[in-house]
C-alpha cells in the first residue's frame, strides 16, 4: 500500500487537479460505465467536478465549533492527509478506517468522487481496486460480495442519509466497521451533527475516535477561505481569448452575491450553484440567510423548468416538490419509485403529477437514477423543502412524525417566522426518553426553536433579559434533579454542603470550579462512553420552559409553591429533590431550591437569532439560573439569570448536568 497516492508527494493541488482533468478526458469513452456509476451514486457530473474542483483543507477540530479560533487550528490539504492515511499500517482494529466529517454541503461526496476518479485515471497502482458506495440498507450486503477485499479501497458515502442508522446510529456504525475492517482501507463520510459526539478518544487525542472496539482516525473538512472561494470563481468563469480578457462582469456579480451569503459562501455545494443564485431575484432581496438562500436556489431552478415547458404552473411545481420532500422525510427515504409517486398523486395531491412532467437534465435539483427512482440532487434541498412545509406551506396533514435534522432546524430558525408548531417533527437520532448513569437520571430534551429572555414591558423584566430567538439543533439529556449530596459523595471525598441531614438534598456551597472537578471525575470513570458537562444557559432555559412548546418564562406566585422551594415556603433551608411537581419534560427543581451553575460566561444578550449559542468567550462571572430557597418569587423564573465568580461558594448554589451518550 506504500505506493498508493504517492502522486501527491510531488505535485500540489494546483497541479494534480488539472492533470487529472486532462487524463479524464482521454479515458472518457473507455470508462463511460464507471463514470456513469459515480454520477448515479453522488449526483455529481464527474467531468464538471474534475474541471472545477478546489481541494479543501482538513483539520482535527470541528470548524463549526465557534469556541475554536480559526487562526489557531492547523489545516492541511485533505489529499495530503488521505495519502498519509493510505500509507499508515493498520496496527489495530480501526486503523484502516477514516471518518471524514463536515457540515452539509462541504464536499464530502465530491471528495470521494475525486478519489474514485483518481483510481479510474490510474493515479495509483493498478493492483489496487476502489469501490464507491452510497450507504443504505443493502450496502453492507453488497460490499460483502466484493472480492479481494485486502486489495480494495472502500469509499462509503453519507452515513447521515442511511435509513438503517436512524435511531440506532451507534449500532449501525459498529456494523459498518465490522464489515469495512476487512478492506485495505475504508473512508466513511458523515455530517458532523449526525455523528455521535461521544465517540472521541478516551484520552481526548485529536483526530481519533473510539467506536466499540475500533480506534479510528477522523478529520473534519475545513470551510473554504476567501482564497479558495475566488479560486473556484476563476474556474467557473475562466479567462478567454488566450488570457487577455476575462468575464469580469460575471465575476464581479458573483462576488456581490457571495458577499451577501456571509459564512455560507464557504460551502462548496452552494458555490456550485452560483449561476442560479446570481439569476434569482429572491437572492437580491435578502441573501445571507440559509433559508432564503435555498429558497432563491429552488425558486430559480423552478423558473428555469418553466422556460422548458410553458404549461407548468410555478406554484403547483413548488408545492409538488414540497409535498414529495416532506413525504420522503416522513418515511425516512432518499429515493422514491414511480409507483410511489403515483400513490402520492392519488392520496395527497394531484399537484405531485407535475414532477413527472419536468425535464431532469443538467443541473436539475431533482433527478432520476437508472431504475427510474426520483431523488433530490442534494439532501439539503430535501431538508429545505421540508422546512418550507413547516414554515409556510403545510400542504397536507402528516400521518407520521417527520424526521428532523440539525440542518433542517437551522433552516426553520432562519425563516423569520416568530412562532412555529414544531410538534410534527421528531429527532430519530435519540429514540429513548431517559437514561441513568452513576445513579443520576437524565431525560431527553429534543431540539427546537424558542424565544429566550423576557419581552420589555412585562412585569419583572430585567435589563439583561433581552428577548431573542434561539435555535438548538441537537437534542441533549438533562439531569432530572440537581446533583444531590449522595451523588456528590459517590465521586468526591467530602461533602461541602451547609444543609446536611438528608443526602437527597442538593449539594450546595460548591463553586463552578468545584462542579468542573466533579464532572472531570465522571468523564474519567465513564471511559469515553459518556460525556458530562454543565448545560449552556440556552439549554437550561429551554429545558426549564419545557422544551419545544416553550411556554412563558414565569409561573404565577399562587402556583409557584407547587413546583419550587423559595423564600416563602422553604423555611430558610434546602429540601430533598423531586418533592415538588416536575415540568413538562419531567425535570424537578428547575426553579428554586438552589441556583444552578451554567457553562457560560455572563454577558449581554444578542437581539438576533442564535444557533446553539455557547455564550461569551471570556468574562469574569459564570451564569447562575433558577432562583433558590433564599430568593423571592420574582427571582424564580426561567429567564432570570445571575452571575458569580467561578470560585464563589454559597449555601444556595448547586448545579445539574447534561449528559451526551455514546455507546
Amino acid at each position: 500500500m506504500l505506493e498508493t497516492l504517492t502522486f501527491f508527494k510531488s505535485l500540489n493541488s494546483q497541479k494534480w487537479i488539472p492533470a487529472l482533468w486532462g487524463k479524464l478526458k482521454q479515458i472518457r469513452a473507455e470508462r463511460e460505465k464507471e463514470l456513469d456509476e459515480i454520477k448515479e451514486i453522488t449526483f455529481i457530473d464527474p467531468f464538471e467536478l474534475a474541471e472545477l474542483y478546489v481541494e479543501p483543507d482538513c483539520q482535527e477540530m470541528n470548524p463549526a465549533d465557534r469556541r475554536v479560533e480559526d487562526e489557531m487550528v492547523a489545516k492541511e490539504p485533505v489529499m495530503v492527509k488521505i495519502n498519509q492515511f493510505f500509507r499508515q499500517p493498520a496496527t489495530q482494529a480501526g486503523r484502516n478506517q477514516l471518518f471524514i466529517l463536515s457540515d452539509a454541503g462541504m464536499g464530502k461526496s465530491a471528495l470521494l468522487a475525486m478519489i474514485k476518479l483518481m483510481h479510474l485515471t490510474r493515479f495509483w497502482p493498478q493492483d489496487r481496486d476502489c469501490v464507491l458506495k452510497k450507504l443504505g440498507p443493502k450496502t453492507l450486503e453488497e460490499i460483502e460480495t466484493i472480492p479481494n477485499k485486502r486489495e480494495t479501497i472502500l469509499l462509503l458515502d453519507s452515513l447521515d442519509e442511511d435509513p438503517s442508522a436512524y435511531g440506532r446510529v451507534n449500532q449501525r456504525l459498529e456494523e459498518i466497521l465490522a464489515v469495512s475492517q476487512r478492506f485495505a482501507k475504508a473512508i466513511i463520510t458523515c455530517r458532523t451533527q449526525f455523528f455521535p459526539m461521544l465517540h472521541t478518544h478516551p484520552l481526548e487525542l485529536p483526530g481519533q475516535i473510539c467506536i466499540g472496539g475500533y480506534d479510528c482516525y477522523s478529520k473534519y473538512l475545513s470551510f473554504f477561505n476567501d482564497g479558495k472561494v475566488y479560486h473556484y470563481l476563476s474556474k467557473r468563469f475562466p479567462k478567454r481569448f488566450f488570457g487577455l480578457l476575462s468575464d469580469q462582469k460575471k465575476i464581479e456579480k458573483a462576488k456581490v452575491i457571495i458577499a451577501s451569503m456571509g459564512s455560507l459562501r464557504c460551502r462548496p455545494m452552494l458555490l456550485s450553484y452560483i449561476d442560479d443564485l446570481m439569476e434569482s431575484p429572491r437572492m437580491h432581496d435578502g441573501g445571507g440567510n440559509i433559508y432564503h438562500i435555498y429558497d432563491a436556489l429552488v425558486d430559480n431552478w423552478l423558473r428555469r423548468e418553466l422556460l422548458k415547458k410553458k404549461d407548468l404552473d410555478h406554484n403547483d411545481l413548488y408545492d409538488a416538490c414540497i409535498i414529495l420532500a416532506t413525504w420522503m422525510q416522513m418515511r425516512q427515504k432518499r429515493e422514491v419509485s414511480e409507483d410511489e409517486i403515483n400513490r402520492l398523486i392519488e392520496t395527497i395531491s394531484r399537484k405531485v403529477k407535475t414532477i413527472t412532467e419536468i425535464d431532469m437534465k443538467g443541473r436539475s435539483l431533482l433527478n432520476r437514477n437508472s431504475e427510474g427512482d426520483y431523488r433530490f440532487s442534494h439532501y439539503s434541498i430535501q431538508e429545505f423543502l421540508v422546512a418550507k412545509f413547516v414554515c409556510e406551506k403545510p400542504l397536507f396533514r402528516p400521518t407520521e412524525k417527520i424526521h428532523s435534522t440539525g440542518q433542517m432546524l437551522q433552516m426553520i430558525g432562519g425563516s423569520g417566522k416568530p412562532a412555529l408548531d414544531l410538534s410534527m417533527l421528531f429527532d430519530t437520532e435519540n429514540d429513548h426518553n431517559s437514561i441513568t448513569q452513576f445513579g443520576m437520571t437524565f431525560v431527553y430534551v429534543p431540539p427546537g426553536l424558542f424565544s429566550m429572555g423576557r419581552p420589555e414591558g412585562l412585569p419583572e423584566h430585567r435589563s439583561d433579559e433581552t428577548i431573542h430567538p434561539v435555535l438548538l439543533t441537537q437534542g441533549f439529556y438533562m439531569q432530572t434533579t440537581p446533583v444531590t449530596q449522595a451523588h456528590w459523595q459517590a465521586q468526591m471525598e467530602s461533602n461541602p454542603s451547609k444543609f446536611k441531614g438528608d443526602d437527597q438534598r442538593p449539594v450546595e456551597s460548591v463553586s463552578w470550579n468545584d462542579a468542573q472537578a466533579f464532572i472531570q471525575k465522571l468523564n474519567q470513570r465513564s471511559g469515553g462512553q459518556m460525556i458530562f458537562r454543565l448545560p449552556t444557559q440556552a439549554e437550561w432555559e429551554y429545558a426549564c420552559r419545557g422544551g419545544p412548546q416553550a411556554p412563558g418564562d414565569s409561573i404565577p406566585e399562587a402556583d409557584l409553591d407547587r413546583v419550587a422551594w423559595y423564600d416563602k415556603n422553604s423555611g430558610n433551608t434546602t429540601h430533598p429533590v423531586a418533592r415538588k411537581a416536575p415540568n413538562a419534560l419531567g425535570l424537578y427543581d428547575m426553579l428554586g431550591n438552589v441556583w444552578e451553575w451554567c457553562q457560560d460566561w455572563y454577558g449581554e444578550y444578542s437581539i438576533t437569532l442564535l444557533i446553539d449559542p455557547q455564550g461569551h468567550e471570556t468574562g469574569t462571572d459564570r451564569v447562575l439560573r433558577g432562583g433558590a430557597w433564599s430568593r423571592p418569587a420574582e427571582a424564580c423564573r426561567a429567564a432570570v439569570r445571575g452571575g458569580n465568580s467561578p470560585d464563589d461558594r454559597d449555601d444556595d448554589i448547586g448545579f445539574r448536568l447534561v449528559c451526551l451518550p455514546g455507546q
Side-chain angles (χ1 to χ4, degrees), residues 51-336:
E51 183 180 14
L52 300 178
Y53 191 69
V54 175
E55 181 183 356
D57 292 331
C58 66
Q59 58 193 67
E60 293 180 340
M61 303 180 74
N62 183 3
D65 188 342
R66 281 165 287 183
R67 290 167 294 182
V68 176
E69 292 294 336
D70 189 64
E71 63 270 16
M72 299 297 291
V73 175
K75 302 177 184 178
E76 288 189 85
V78 67
M79 288 298 189
V80 171
K81 301 309 293 185
I82 288 175
N83 186 25
Q84 293 174 1
F85 166 65
F86 282 164
R87 294 172 59 85
Q88 185 75 24
T91 56
Q92 62 190 80
R95 290 305 195 187
N96 66 329
Q97 290 143 316
L98 168 67
F99 285 97
I100 299 290
L101 308 174
S102 77
D103 283 354
M106 292 287 290
K108 298 181 294 295
S109 297
L111 173 63
L112 296 193
M114 287 296 285
I115 295 173
K116 177 63 179 176
L117 288 176
M118 289 161 52
H119 169 248
L120 294 182
T121 51
R122 298 180 175 86
F123 271 44
W124 60 21
Q126 290 308 291
D127 60 346
R128 305 293 182 184
D129 198 3
C130 180
V131 174
L132 171 62
K133 294 282 186 182
K134 177 77 78 172
L135 278 165
K138 298 181 180 179
T139 306
L140 298 189
E141 296 177 14
E142 293 170 356
I143 64 178
E144 283 279 24
T145 65
I146 295 173
N148 302 319
K149 293 180 177 62
R150 282 298 174 195
E151 305 299 324
T152 300
I153 307 295
L154 182 62
L155 309 175
L156 299 177
D157 193 28
S158 301
L159 172 67
D160 51 284
E161 297 180 31
D162 181 1
S164 302
Y166 295 161
R168 55 185 299 274
V169 62
N170 295 291
Q171 297 94 314
R172 185 59 171 170
L173 275 168
E174 292 196 27
E175 293 167 0
I176 291 169
L177 290 173
V179 175
S180 61
Q181 178 71 21
R182 303 169 198 155
F183 287 77
K185 295 287 180 178
I187 300 178
I188 305 160
T189 69
C190 183
R191 287 194 195 185
T192 307
Q193 289 180 324
F194 186 84
F195 199 79
M197 295 176 62
L198 279 170
H199 286 115
T200 52
H201 193 279
L203 300 179
E204 298 186 355
L205 297 177
Q208 298 182 40
I209 52 177
C210 291
I211 302 169
Y214 300 92
D215 193 0
C216 307
Y217 295 109
S218 66
K219 295 293 175 187
Y220 293 93
L221 292 185
S222 307
F223 290 104
F224 272 11
N225 57 29
D226 286 336
K228 290 186 182 292
V229 170
Y230 296 134
H231 181 44
Y232 176 83
L233 289 182
S234 70
K235 289 190 166 197
R236 171 65 76 179
F237 309 114
K239 292 181 179 180
R240 299 178 297 180
F241 300 106
F242 305 99
L244 299 178
L245 296 174
S246 64
D247 196 344
Q248 193 62 34
K249 185 177 289 186
K250 269 196 171 183
I251 290 180
E252 292 305 317
K253 185 177 181 180
K255 286 182 177 180
V256 171
I257 292 296
I258 284 172
S260 71
M261 292 168 63
S263 62
L264 293 173
R265 74 189 186 284
C266 301
R267 301 193 183 198
M269 180 262 174
L270 289 177
L271 281 179
S272 70
Y273 285 99
I274 187 63
D275 291 312
D276 293 329
L277 293 172
M278 287 166 61
E279 298 302 320
S280 174
R282 297 195 185 193
M283 191 63 199
H284 295 278
D285 293 340
N289 178 291
I290 190 168
Y291 184 89
H292 295 122
I293 287 172
Y294 273 84
D295 196 18
L297 185 63
V298 173
D299 178 70
N300 194 65
W301 168 65
L302 295 177
R303 293 183 186 281
R304 192 171 64 239
E305 295 303 322
L306 296 178
L307 293 175
K308 299 177 187 176
K309 196 161 185 179
K310 304 291 187 182
D311 58 342
L312 291 179
D313 179 81
H314 177 274
N315 290 332
D316 284 350
L317 184 53
Y318 210 146
D319 289 352
C321 290
I322 291 171
I323 291 169
L324 177 61
T326 304
W327 185 86
M328 290 168 68
Q329 198 71 14
M330 189 172 67
R331 298 296 179 90
Q332 299 179 20
K333 285 177 170 286
R334 284 289 283 120
E335 297 176 345
V336 293

Side-chain angles (χ1 to χ4, degrees), residues 72 265 350 370 375 492 494 542 639:
M72 299 297 291
R265 74 189 186 284
R350 298 289 301 172
S370 59
R375 176 182 170 184
M492 311 298 281
S494 61
Y542 177 67

Side-chain angles (χ1 to χ4, degrees), residues 410-435:
Q410 287 190 28
M411 291 172 170
I412 290 171
S415 69
K417 302 298 178 182
L420 296 169
D421 178 14
L422 301 182
S423 62
M424 67 181 73
L425 303 177
F426 82 125
D427 178 19
T428 58
E429 294 170 27
N430 294 278
D431 56 359
H432 47 290
N433 294 324
S434 64
I435 56 176

Side-chain angles (χ1 to χ4, degrees), residues 617-636:
E617 294 184 359
T618 60
T620 57
D621 293 339
R622 294 287 185 175
V623 171
L624 289 165
R625 289 299 199 125
W629 60 266
S630 57
R631 308 299 292 174
E634 56 265 27
C636 297

Side-chain angles (χ1 to χ4, degrees), residues 503-539:
D503 65 6
Q504 292 306 303
R505 290 179 185 236
V507 67
E508 28 80 11
S509 302
V510 287
S511 68
W512 187 91
N513 292 327
D514 294 334
Q516 297 300 322
F518 178 80
I519 289 168
Q520 184 178 15
K521 286 205 171 186
L522 290 179
N523 285 331
Q524 288 174 344
R525 294 181 180 182
S526 73
Q529 300 301 303
M530 296 285 174
I531 286 181
F532 299 90
R533 60 171 173 81
L534 292 176
T536 66
Q537 62 174 331
E539 291 169 339

